[in-house]
Amino acid sequence: LDSSQFAGNGLPEMQARRLLSEQLQVSAQQDAALAEELFSLFDGSASYGTKWEPTAWSASQEVLPKLGSDIGERIARIIRFNAHRCPGGRDPRTGDPQPGLGLWLWPPFINHALEADPPPNCAHVFFGDAALYRVTRSVRAGEELLDRYTSPLAQRFEQTLSNLEDHGMTDPKYEACAQAWGSAAEGSEGSTPVALLPGQQALVTSLAQIERRIAVGSGLSAVT
């Protein structure tokens, strides 16, 4: 989808989703080719795809068929499962990133790598609203493509955990890291429901302690 299917700079995620959904509903009913691309994306059901009424669309038709009555609901689900945050503006008061939201056709072919999975073999970066994906090592034919759904703009564990929850996923190891980080940042040693490797525990503890010292020394709120 081109850059017109991009919305929500500086808006909270759910508000940005609603705005993007409204834009796509209008565009899909005016552009058959865009509708075919849009509804080729996974919507959480086993039978997704464009549903034209009363007949299927073809490029030779002069009159565009109508899309089904559930177009709004389906687009909302497509956005839920496929939309990505991308660099946008910044909050003028806090300076925190306020990313935009958009749909791209390639990311849905790449799955999220949980902490217990093999290391990701893909990575992505945004140039404005252009998404660039590259493999980070040689990939065998038939091998699953793995990236992180975690946004590089995420400043808190909760952002990633909320993102995974929205996709119907859990990551016990990541949740344990978040809990260990919170304990270390408070200067305590709490147990985690999932055991971390010694290196993971040491890294989480060290970074949280450094962050706490910086925050205390500068009077800033900690960023986790």
Side-chain angles (χ1 to χ4, degrees):
L1 301 173
D2 63 28
S3 58
S4 65
Q5 313 316 318
F6 168 82
N9 262 1
L11 296 178
E13 174 118 2
M14 299 309 296
Q15 190 175 347
R17 287 187 187 186
R18 288 193 292 271
L19 176 59
L20 182 59
S21 178
E22 292 170 0
Q23 292 181 355
L24 286 170
Q25 286 186 55
V26 173
S27 298
Q29 295 181 88
Q30 298 174 343
D31 187 333
L34 182 143
E36 291 285 341
E37 286 188 339
L38 173 63
F39 290 106
S40 71
L41 298 176
F42 178 64
D43 68 0
S45 72
S47 57
Y48 51 96
T50 314
K51 299 176 182 177
W52 296 106
E53 296 178 356
T55 59
W57 170 78
S58 70
S60 62
Q61 288 178 290
E62 295 183 1
V63 179
L64 191 66
K66 293 184 179 180
L67 291 165
S69 58
D70 61 347
I71 176 177
E73 178 184 342
R74 294 188 63 211
I75 289 178
R77 293 202 305 267
I78 287 171
I79 291 173
R80 173 188 171 186
F81 286 106
N82 299 281
H84 279 256
R85 292 296 246 177
C86 54
R90 287 185 177 272
D91 188 308
R93 295 169 300 148
T94 66
D96 290 340
Q98 290 189 317
L101 182 76
L103 284 175
W104 291 264
L105 292 177
W106 280 106
F109 293 97
I110 302 173
N111 292 323
H112 174 72
L114 300 176
E115 292 297 328
D117 290 331
N121 51 25
C122 296
H124 70 277
V125 65
F126 285 97
F127 293 94
D129 58 7
L132 172 64
Y133 277 78
R134 297 193 67 176
V135 294
T136 55
R137 60 173 174 80
S138 298
V139 177
R140 300 185 306 273
E143 182 180 355
E144 183 179 21
L145 296 178
L146 294 173
D147 188 16
R148 298 280 191 197
Y149 286 178
T150 308
S151 169
L153 302 173
Q155 293 186 316
R156 300 183 180 277
F157 280 104
E158 291 78 9
Q159 290 176 258
T160 295
L161 293 173
S162 176
N163 192 6
L164 294 180
E165 181 182 5
D166 197 39
H167 285 78
M169 304 173 68
T170 59
D171 191 336
K173 185 77 74 172
Y174 189 85
E175 292 170 5
C177 286
Q179 186 173 331
W181 185 294
S183 297
E186 295 170 359
S188 62
E189 292 186 7
S191 60
T192 59
V194 176
L196 299 177
L197 296 174
Q200 290 176 319
Q201 182 66 58
L203 178 62
V204 166
T205 301
S206 298
L207 292 176
Q209 291 174 345
I210 292 171
E211 176 191 73
R212 181 158 58 95
R213 291 170 186 163
I214 292 174
V216 171
S218 62
L220 299 174
S221 297
V223 176
T224 57

